[in-house]
Amino acid sequence: QLSVDQVSAEQPLGLKEQEWAGPEALCPGWLDEEVSDGEVPEDTGDPDSATHAYEVLQSALRQEGLPLTVDRTAEPRTGFGPLDMTVCILGSPTAFLPVLLEGGTRCPGAMVLCLSPAWASRVPSETSPGAWSLLLSRGVSFEAGGRSALEEFAPPRRATYVTGTFGAGAESGWVGELARDLDCPTGGS
């Protein structure tokens, strides 16, 4: 795992290594984001938290000798239905990197990392009264060979299993809120 000290000690990315367009590419409209009826938890208050987490992910991938994440947000992914598997990992990219990489090898595209509460929404479940479904509008998906891609999903992709950094760090608040009372299995270990 990477520590924050290791990440900040690294050299900044050169222009050639940067394949994304900054905070606006990660969280479009983050300056004018609106939270509706308290169902979508607020971010940590730092609009650059998704950007920082993305940079930590890139650093971890680079240290492992893996390709950097490709930005595919210009062409939203479509066609995901209720039977498609989507394992959603909320929060820290480094805590679950081995799981994301192995899952990407065994089930390419099914492992999706959510780095910001702005990338997901909770909607009332159609199958379980009183529960919620977690829908992902954006995420980093993992494929064989350690390849990853920042993607948008239109319509949003439904999570079929959720885990994340529930009790660690600043993101634990929004992670716990998004994962509360879901209609899909949720793991915290």
Side-chain angles (χ1 to χ4, degrees):
Q1 279 186 326
L2 290 176
S3 71
V4 175
D5 295 333
Q6 288 172 311
V7 173
S8 61
E10 290 192 3
Q11 297 295 325
L13 295 175
L15 289 176
K16 279 186 152 183
E17 292 170 306
Q18 292 182 352
E19 296 189 29
W20 58 283
E24 189 62 24
L26 292 174
C27 264
W30 60 267
L31 287 174
D32 55 334
E33 184 177 326
E34 202 173 291
V35 178
S36 62
D37 297 328
E39 294 307 330
V40 178
E42 291 184 29
D43 202 339
T44 60
D46 176 10
D48 292 326
S49 63
T51 302
H52 173 72
Y54 185 85
E55 289 168 352
V56 169
L57 173 62
Q58 300 317 297
S59 176
L61 292 171
R62 192 172 24 262
Q63 284 187 350
E64 295 296 322
L66 298 170
L68 297 179
T69 303
V70 175
D71 184 352
R72 292 189 195 150
T73 57
E75 296 179 27
R77 298 270 313 269
T78 61
F80 292 103
L83 299 179
D84 289 304
M85 182 174 67
T86 302
V87 177
C88 174
I89 297 189
L90 301 168
S92 173
T94 54
F96 289 92
L97 188 58
V99 173
L100 291 161
L101 294 173
E102 183 63 21
T105 298
R106 294 186 182 262
C107 299
M111 303 297 292
V112 180
L113 175 63
C114 178
L115 298 174
S116 170
W119 295 10
S121 59
R122 290 166 41 99
V123 297
S125 173
E126 295 177 4
T127 58
S128 301
W132 300 87
S133 293
L134 184 65
L135 303 179
L136 302 172
S137 58
R138 183 174 284 242
V140 178
S141 64
F142 286 77
E143 300 170 1
R147 292 187 316 270
S148 59
L150 177 64
E151 300 187 290
E152 284 197 19
F153 306 108
R157 186 173 176 173
R158 183 180 176 275
T160 55
Y161 181 83
V162 176
T163 191
T165 51
F166 295 114
E171 77 258 355
S172 65
W174 68 263
V175 168
E177 272 303 303
L178 281 178
R180 184 176 43 86
D181 301 326
L182 294 180
D183 61 359
C184 67
T186 304
S189 62

